[in-house]
Short mmCIF file of all heavy atoms in Angstrom, two decimals:
data_model
loop_
_atom_site.label_atom_id
_atom_site.label_comp_id
_atom_site.label_asym_id
_atom_site.label_seq_id
_atom_site.Cartn_x
_atom_site.Cartn_y
_atom_site.Cartn_z
N ILE A 915 -7.30 21.64 20.08
CA ILE A 915 -6.99 20.20 19.97
C ILE A 915 -8.13 19.46 19.27
O ILE A 915 -7.91 18.62 18.40
CB ILE A 915 -6.73 19.61 21.37
CG1 ILE A 915 -5.43 20.17 21.95
CG2 ILE A 915 -6.66 18.08 21.31
CD1 ILE A 915 -5.20 19.80 23.41
N HIS A 916 -9.36 19.80 19.67
CA HIS A 916 -10.52 19.16 19.05
C HIS A 916 -10.59 19.47 17.56
O HIS A 916 -10.94 18.59 16.75
CB HIS A 916 -11.80 19.64 19.76
CG HIS A 916 -13.05 19.03 19.22
ND1 HIS A 916 -13.35 17.70 19.35
CD2 HIS A 916 -14.08 19.61 18.51
CE1 HIS A 916 -14.50 17.45 18.76
NE2 HIS A 916 -14.98 18.60 18.25
N HIS A 917 -10.24 20.70 17.21
CA HIS A 917 -10.25 21.11 15.80
C HIS A 917 -9.26 20.28 14.99
O HIS A 917 -9.57 19.80 13.89
CB HIS A 917 -9.92 22.60 15.70
CG HIS A 917 -9.79 23.08 14.28
ND1 HIS A 917 -10.90 23.25 13.46
CD2 HIS A 917 -8.68 23.42 13.54
CE1 HIS A 917 -10.47 23.67 12.27
NE2 HIS A 917 -9.13 23.79 12.30
N HIS A 918 -8.05 20.11 15.55
CA HIS A 918 -7.02 19.32 14.86
C HIS A 918 -7.43 17.85 14.74
O HIS A 918 -7.16 17.20 13.72
CB HIS A 918 -5.68 19.42 15.60
CG HIS A 918 -4.97 20.72 15.36
ND1 HIS A 918 -4.64 21.18 14.11
CD2 HIS A 918 -4.51 21.67 16.23
CE1 HIS A 918 -4.03 22.35 14.20
NE2 HIS A 918 -3.93 22.69 15.50
N GLN A 919 -8.09 17.35 15.77
CA GLN A 919 -8.55 15.97 15.72
C GLN A 919 -9.59 15.77 14.63
O GLN A 919 -9.59 14.75 13.93
CB GLN A 919 -9.13 15.56 17.08
CG GLN A 919 -8.08 15.38 18.17
CD GLN A 919 -8.69 15.07 19.52
OE1 GLN A 919 -9.88 15.36 19.75
NE2 GLN A 919 -7.88 14.49 20.41
N GLN A 920 -10.48 16.78 14.50
CA GLN A 920 -11.48 16.70 13.45
C GLN A 920 -10.83 16.72 12.06
O GLN A 920 -11.22 15.98 11.16
CB GLN A 920 -12.47 17.86 13.58
CG GLN A 920 -13.51 17.67 14.68
CD GLN A 920 -14.53 18.78 14.65
OE1 GLN A 920 -14.20 19.96 14.46
NE2 GLN A 920 -15.80 18.42 14.86
N LYS A 921 -9.82 17.60 11.91
CA LYS A 921 -9.11 17.69 10.63
C LYS A 921 -8.42 16.37 10.29
O LYS A 921 -8.47 15.90 9.15
CB LYS A 921 -8.08 18.83 10.68
CG LYS A 921 -8.67 20.22 10.61
CD LYS A 921 -9.23 20.46 9.21
CE LYS A 921 -9.75 21.90 9.08
NZ LYS A 921 -10.35 22.13 7.73
N ASN A 922 -7.76 15.79 11.28
CA ASN A 922 -7.08 14.51 11.06
C ASN A 922 -8.08 13.42 10.67
O ASN A 922 -7.81 12.59 9.80
CB ASN A 922 -6.32 14.08 12.31
CG ASN A 922 -5.09 14.94 12.56
OD1 ASN A 922 -4.57 15.58 11.64
ND2 ASN A 922 -4.63 14.97 13.82
N ALA A 923 -9.24 13.43 11.35
CA ALA A 923 -10.27 12.44 11.05
C ALA A 923 -10.78 12.61 9.62
O ALA A 923 -11.04 11.63 8.91
CB ALA A 923 -11.42 12.55 12.05
N GLU A 924 -10.93 13.89 9.20
CA GLU A 924 -11.38 14.16 7.83
C GLU A 924 -10.35 13.67 6.80
O GLU A 924 -10.70 13.09 5.77
CB GLU A 924 -11.63 15.65 7.65
CG GLU A 924 -12.85 16.17 8.39
CD GLU A 924 -12.99 17.69 8.28
OE1 GLU A 924 -12.20 18.29 7.51
OE2 GLU A 924 -13.86 18.25 8.94
N ILE A 925 -9.06 13.89 7.11
CA ILE A 925 -7.99 13.45 6.19
C ILE A 925 -7.98 11.93 6.07
O ILE A 925 -7.89 11.37 4.98
CB ILE A 925 -6.62 13.96 6.67
CG1 ILE A 925 -6.56 15.49 6.54
CG2 ILE A 925 -5.49 13.31 5.87
CD1 ILE A 925 -5.32 16.10 7.18
N ILE A 926 -8.11 11.25 7.23
CA ILE A 926 -8.12 9.79 7.22
C ILE A 926 -9.33 9.27 6.44
O ILE A 926 -9.24 8.32 5.67
CB ILE A 926 -8.13 9.25 8.66
CG1 ILE A 926 -6.80 9.56 9.35
CG2 ILE A 926 -8.40 7.74 8.68
CD1 ILE A 926 -6.77 9.25 10.84
N ALA A 927 -10.49 9.94 6.66
CA ALA A 927 -11.70 9.53 5.95
C ALA A 927 -11.53 9.70 4.44
O ALA A 927 -11.99 8.86 3.65
CB ALA A 927 -12.89 10.34 6.45
N ARG A 928 -10.89 10.78 4.04
CA ARG A 928 -10.65 11.02 2.61
C ARG A 928 -9.70 9.98 2.05
O ARG A 928 -9.89 9.49 0.92
CB ARG A 928 -10.10 12.42 2.40
CG ARG A 928 -11.13 13.53 2.68
CD ARG A 928 -10.49 14.90 2.59
NE ARG A 928 -9.99 15.17 1.25
CZ ARG A 928 -9.31 16.27 0.91
NH1 ARG A 928 -9.04 17.19 1.85
NH2 ARG A 928 -8.91 16.45 -0.32
N LEU A 929 -8.68 9.62 2.82
CA LEU A 929 -7.74 8.58 2.37
C LEU A 929 -8.46 7.24 2.19
O LEU A 929 -8.15 6.47 1.27
CB LEU A 929 -6.58 8.43 3.37
CG LEU A 929 -5.53 9.55 3.36
CD1 LEU A 929 -4.56 9.36 4.52
CD2 LEU A 929 -4.76 9.58 2.04
N GLU A 930 -9.41 6.96 3.11
CA GLU A 930 -10.14 5.70 3.03
C GLU A 930 -11.00 5.64 1.78
O GLU A 930 -11.30 4.56 1.27
CB GLU A 930 -11.03 5.53 4.26
CG GLU A 930 -10.27 5.32 5.56
CD GLU A 930 -9.54 4.00 5.59
OE1 GLU A 930 -10.01 3.04 4.94
OE2 GLU A 930 -8.49 3.91 6.24
N ARG A 931 -11.40 6.84 1.27
CA ARG A 931 -12.28 6.88 0.09
C ARG A 931 -11.50 6.95 -1.22
O ARG A 931 -12.11 7.01 -2.29
CB ARG A 931 -13.23 8.08 0.19
CG ARG A 931 -14.24 7.97 1.32
CD ARG A 931 -15.33 9.01 1.17
NE ARG A 931 -14.81 10.37 1.21
CZ ARG A 931 -14.69 11.09 2.33
NH1 ARG A 931 -15.04 10.56 3.50
NH2 ARG A 931 -14.22 12.32 2.29
N ILE A 932 -10.16 6.98 -1.15
CA ILE A 932 -9.36 7.05 -2.38
C ILE A 932 -9.63 5.82 -3.24
O ILE A 932 -9.51 4.69 -2.77
CB ILE A 932 -7.85 7.14 -2.06
CG1 ILE A 932 -7.53 8.49 -1.40
CG2 ILE A 932 -7.01 6.97 -3.31
CD1 ILE A 932 -6.07 8.62 -0.99
N PRO A 933 -10.00 6.01 -4.50
CA PRO A 933 -10.28 4.85 -5.36
C PRO A 933 -8.99 4.10 -5.73
O PRO A 933 -7.90 4.67 -5.67
CB PRO A 933 -10.93 5.49 -6.60
CG PRO A 933 -10.36 6.87 -6.63
CD PRO A 933 -10.20 7.29 -5.20
N VAL A 934 -9.15 2.84 -6.11
CA VAL A 934 -8.00 2.04 -6.53
C VAL A 934 -7.69 2.38 -8.00
O VAL A 934 -8.35 1.88 -8.91
CB VAL A 934 -8.27 0.53 -6.37
CG1 VAL A 934 -7.07 -0.28 -6.84
CG2 VAL A 934 -8.61 0.21 -4.93
N THR A 935 -6.73 3.25 -8.20
CA THR A 935 -6.36 3.69 -9.55
C THR A 935 -5.49 2.62 -10.23
O THR A 935 -5.03 1.67 -9.60
CB THR A 935 -5.59 5.00 -9.49
OG1 THR A 935 -4.37 4.79 -8.75
CG2 THR A 935 -6.40 6.08 -8.79
N ARG A 936 -5.27 2.80 -11.53
CA ARG A 936 -4.41 1.87 -12.27
C ARG A 936 -2.99 1.88 -11.71
O ARG A 936 -2.34 0.84 -11.63
CB ARG A 936 -4.38 2.26 -13.75
CG ARG A 936 -5.67 1.95 -14.50
CD ARG A 936 -5.51 2.24 -15.99
NE ARG A 936 -6.72 1.91 -16.72
CZ ARG A 936 -6.86 2.05 -18.04
NH1 ARG A 936 -5.83 2.53 -18.75
NH2 ARG A 936 -7.99 1.73 -18.63
N ARG A 937 -2.54 3.06 -11.33
CA ARG A 937 -1.19 3.17 -10.78
C ARG A 937 -1.07 2.39 -9.47
O ARG A 937 -0.10 1.66 -9.24
CB ARG A 937 -0.84 4.63 -10.55
CG ARG A 937 0.59 4.85 -10.05
CD ARG A 937 0.82 6.32 -9.78
NE ARG A 937 2.19 6.56 -9.38
CZ ARG A 937 2.64 7.75 -8.99
NH1 ARG A 937 1.83 8.79 -8.95
NH2 ARG A 937 3.90 7.90 -8.63
N LEU A 938 -2.10 2.54 -8.61
CA LEU A 938 -2.09 1.83 -7.34
C LEU A 938 -2.20 0.32 -7.56
O LEU A 938 -1.54 -0.47 -6.89
CB LEU A 938 -3.23 2.32 -6.45
CG LEU A 938 -3.33 1.71 -5.05
CD1 LEU A 938 -2.03 1.93 -4.28
CD2 LEU A 938 -4.52 2.30 -4.29
N GLN A 939 -3.05 -0.07 -8.54
CA GLN A 939 -3.20 -1.49 -8.84
C GLN A 939 -1.88 -2.07 -9.35
O GLN A 939 -1.49 -3.18 -9.00
CB GLN A 939 -4.30 -1.67 -9.90
CG GLN A 939 -4.67 -3.12 -10.16
CD GLN A 939 -5.32 -3.78 -8.96
OE1 GLN A 939 -6.02 -3.15 -8.19
NE2 GLN A 939 -5.06 -5.06 -8.79
N PHE A 940 -1.18 -1.28 -10.18
CA PHE A 940 0.11 -1.72 -10.71
C PHE A 940 1.11 -1.93 -9.57
O PHE A 940 1.85 -2.92 -9.55
CB PHE A 940 0.65 -0.67 -11.69
CG PHE A 940 2.05 -0.95 -12.16
CD1 PHE A 940 2.31 -1.92 -13.11
CD2 PHE A 940 3.12 -0.23 -11.63
CE1 PHE A 940 3.61 -2.18 -13.53
CE2 PHE A 940 4.42 -0.48 -12.05
CZ PHE A 940 4.66 -1.46 -13.00
N MET A 941 1.13 -1.01 -8.61
CA MET A 941 2.06 -1.13 -7.49
C MET A 941 1.71 -2.33 -6.62
O MET A 941 2.60 -3.02 -6.11
CB MET A 941 2.05 0.15 -6.65
CG MET A 941 2.72 1.34 -7.34
SD MET A 941 4.40 0.96 -7.93
CE MET A 941 5.21 0.43 -6.45
N ARG A 942 0.42 -2.60 -6.46
CA ARG A 942 0.02 -3.75 -5.66
C ARG A 942 0.51 -5.05 -6.31
O ARG A 942 1.03 -5.94 -5.63
CB ARG A 942 -1.51 -3.78 -5.51
CG ARG A 942 -2.05 -2.68 -4.62
CD ARG A 942 -3.55 -2.53 -4.73
NE ARG A 942 -4.27 -3.69 -4.22
CZ ARG A 942 -5.60 -3.74 -4.13
NH1 ARG A 942 -6.33 -2.69 -4.51
NH2 ARG A 942 -6.19 -4.80 -3.66
N VAL A 943 0.35 -5.12 -7.63
CA VAL A 943 0.80 -6.32 -8.35
C VAL A 943 2.32 -6.44 -8.27
O VAL A 943 2.87 -7.53 -8.06
CB VAL A 943 0.34 -6.27 -9.82
CG1 VAL A 943 0.98 -7.40 -10.62
CG2 VAL A 943 -1.18 -6.36 -9.90
N THR A 944 3.01 -5.31 -8.45
CA THR A 944 4.47 -5.31 -8.42
C THR A 944 4.99 -5.74 -7.05
O THR A 944 5.93 -6.55 -6.95
CB THR A 944 5.02 -3.90 -8.74
OG1 THR A 944 4.53 -3.50 -10.03
CG2 THR A 944 6.54 -3.89 -8.75
N ILE A 945 4.38 -5.23 -6.00
CA ILE A 945 4.79 -5.61 -4.64
C ILE A 945 4.55 -7.10 -4.41
O ILE A 945 5.37 -7.80 -3.81
CB ILE A 945 4.02 -4.77 -3.59
CG1 ILE A 945 4.47 -3.30 -3.67
CG2 ILE A 945 4.25 -5.32 -2.18
CD1 ILE A 945 3.61 -2.35 -2.84
N GLY A 946 3.42 -7.60 -4.92
CA GLY A 946 3.12 -9.02 -4.77
C GLY A 946 4.15 -9.90 -5.47
O GLY A 946 4.63 -10.89 -4.92
N ILE A 947 4.50 -9.53 -6.71
CA ILE A 947 5.50 -10.29 -7.47
C ILE A 947 6.85 -10.24 -6.77
O ILE A 947 7.56 -11.25 -6.66
CB ILE A 947 5.61 -9.75 -8.91
CG1 ILE A 947 4.30 -10.01 -9.67
CG2 ILE A 947 6.78 -10.39 -9.64
CD1 ILE A 947 4.24 -9.36 -11.03
N ALA A 948 7.21 -9.05 -6.28
CA ALA A 948 8.49 -8.90 -5.59
C ALA A 948 8.53 -9.76 -4.33
O ALA A 948 9.55 -10.39 -4.03
CB ALA A 948 8.70 -7.43 -5.22
N THR A 949 7.43 -9.82 -3.61
CA THR A 949 7.36 -10.66 -2.39
C THR A 949 7.56 -12.13 -2.74
O THR A 949 8.27 -12.86 -2.04
CB THR A 949 6.00 -10.48 -1.70
OG1 THR A 949 5.81 -9.09 -1.40
CG2 THR A 949 5.93 -11.28 -0.41
N PHE A 950 6.92 -12.56 -3.83
CA PHE A 950 7.05 -13.95 -4.27
C PHE A 950 8.52 -14.30 -4.54
O PHE A 950 9.03 -15.32 -4.09
CB PHE A 950 6.21 -14.15 -5.54
CG PHE A 950 6.30 -15.53 -6.13
CD1 PHE A 950 5.46 -16.54 -5.70
CD2 PHE A 950 7.22 -15.81 -7.12
CE1 PHE A 950 5.54 -17.81 -6.25
CE2 PHE A 950 7.31 -17.07 -7.67
CZ PHE A 950 6.46 -18.07 -7.25
N PHE A 951 9.21 -13.43 -5.28
CA PHE A 951 10.60 -13.71 -5.64
C PHE A 951 11.57 -13.45 -4.48
O PHE A 951 12.67 -14.01 -4.47
CB PHE A 951 11.00 -12.92 -6.89
CG PHE A 951 10.46 -13.53 -8.15
CD1 PHE A 951 9.37 -12.98 -8.78
CD2 PHE A 951 11.03 -14.68 -8.67
CE1 PHE A 951 8.85 -13.55 -9.94
CE2 PHE A 951 10.53 -15.26 -9.82
CZ PHE A 951 9.43 -14.70 -10.46
N ASP A 952 11.16 -12.62 -3.52
CA ASP A 952 11.95 -12.51 -2.29
C ASP A 952 12.08 -13.88 -1.64
O ASP A 952 13.17 -14.32 -1.28
CB ASP A 952 11.27 -11.56 -1.29
CG ASP A 952 11.42 -10.10 -1.69
OD1 ASP A 952 12.25 -9.82 -2.58
OD2 ASP A 952 10.72 -9.26 -1.12
N ALA A 953 10.95 -14.56 -1.52
CA ALA A 953 10.94 -15.88 -0.89
C ALA A 953 11.66 -16.90 -1.75
O ALA A 953 12.41 -17.75 -1.25
CB ALA A 953 9.49 -16.31 -0.64
N TYR A 954 11.43 -16.84 -3.07
CA TYR A 954 12.08 -17.78 -3.98
C TYR A 954 13.59 -17.72 -3.83
O TYR A 954 14.27 -18.74 -3.77
CB TYR A 954 11.67 -17.44 -5.42
CG TYR A 954 12.34 -18.29 -6.46
CD1 TYR A 954 11.81 -19.52 -6.84
CD2 TYR A 954 13.52 -17.87 -7.07
CE1 TYR A 954 12.44 -20.30 -7.79
CE2 TYR A 954 14.16 -18.65 -8.02
CZ TYR A 954 13.60 -19.87 -8.38
OH TYR A 954 14.24 -20.64 -9.32
N THR A 955 14.12 -16.51 -3.75
CA THR A 955 15.57 -16.33 -3.66
C THR A 955 16.11 -16.84 -2.33
O THR A 955 17.21 -17.39 -2.28
CB THR A 955 15.92 -14.84 -3.83
OG1 THR A 955 15.41 -14.39 -5.08
CG2 THR A 955 17.42 -14.62 -3.80
N VAL A 956 15.35 -16.64 -1.26
CA VAL A 956 15.80 -17.08 0.07
C VAL A 956 16.11 -18.57 0.07
O VAL A 956 17.12 -19.02 0.62
CB VAL A 956 14.72 -16.76 1.13
CG1 VAL A 956 15.00 -17.49 2.43
CG2 VAL A 956 14.66 -15.26 1.38
N LEU A 957 15.24 -19.36 -0.59
CA LEU A 957 15.40 -20.81 -0.57
C LEU A 957 16.23 -21.34 -1.73
O LEU A 957 16.88 -22.37 -1.61
CB LEU A 957 14.02 -21.48 -0.56
CG LEU A 957 13.98 -22.96 -0.17
CD1 LEU A 957 14.58 -23.17 1.21
CD2 LEU A 957 12.54 -23.47 -0.20
N ALA A 958 16.21 -20.66 -2.86
CA ALA A 958 16.90 -21.16 -4.06
C ALA A 958 18.39 -21.35 -3.81
O ALA A 958 19.00 -22.30 -4.32
CB ALA A 958 16.67 -20.20 -5.22
N ILE A 959 19.00 -20.44 -3.05
CA ILE A 959 20.43 -20.54 -2.79
C ILE A 959 20.77 -21.84 -2.07
O ILE A 959 21.85 -22.42 -2.28
CB ILE A 959 20.92 -19.32 -1.97
CG1 ILE A 959 22.45 -19.33 -1.82
CG2 ILE A 959 20.26 -19.28 -0.61
CD1 ILE A 959 23.19 -19.14 -3.11
N ALA A 960 19.85 -22.34 -1.26
CA ALA A 960 20.11 -23.58 -0.51
C ALA A 960 20.25 -24.77 -1.44
O ALA A 960 21.04 -25.69 -1.18
CB ALA A 960 18.97 -23.83 0.49
N PHE A 961 19.50 -24.76 -2.55
CA PHE A 961 19.57 -25.87 -3.49
C PHE A 961 20.80 -25.76 -4.40
O PHE A 961 21.29 -26.77 -4.91
CB PHE A 961 18.30 -25.92 -4.34
CG PHE A 961 17.07 -26.23 -3.56
CD1 PHE A 961 16.13 -25.23 -3.29
CD2 PHE A 961 16.85 -27.50 -3.06
CE1 PHE A 961 14.99 -25.52 -2.56
CE2 PHE A 961 15.71 -27.79 -2.32
CZ PHE A 961 14.78 -26.80 -2.07
N ALA A 962 21.28 -24.55 -4.63
CA ALA A 962 22.44 -24.36 -5.50
C ALA A 962 23.75 -24.61 -4.78
O ALA A 962 24.74 -25.02 -5.39
CB ALA A 962 22.43 -22.94 -6.08
#
């Protein structure tokens, strides 16, 4: 059990050190834009 816990901790630590690549940055921007228009659509129908 201790061995598996150490392995999991190592995996999490490695994930924490993953650099912000262009692909990840692109997805972050895309998710942000999508969130913005999610909200826009929710309210826009009320005015139409």
Side-chain angles (χ1 to χ4, degrees):
I915 292 171
H916 181 68
H917 175 74
H918 283 304
Q919 288 176 338
Q920 282 186 318
K921 286 291 184 182
N922 289 338
E924 289 175 7
I925 292 172
I926 292 172
R928 290 174 63 184
L929 286 172
E930 292 292 331
R931 293 193 299 270
I932 292 177
V934 179
T935 62
R936 288 185 178 181
R937 183 183 184 186
L938 182 57
Q939 188 66 33
F940 173 77
M941 288 308 303
R942 290 167 66 175
V943 172
T944 303
I945 292 170
I947 294 172
T949 303
F950 177 87
F951 283 103
D952 285 347
Y954 176 87
T955 302
V956 167
L957 195 57
I959 186 66
F961 295 107

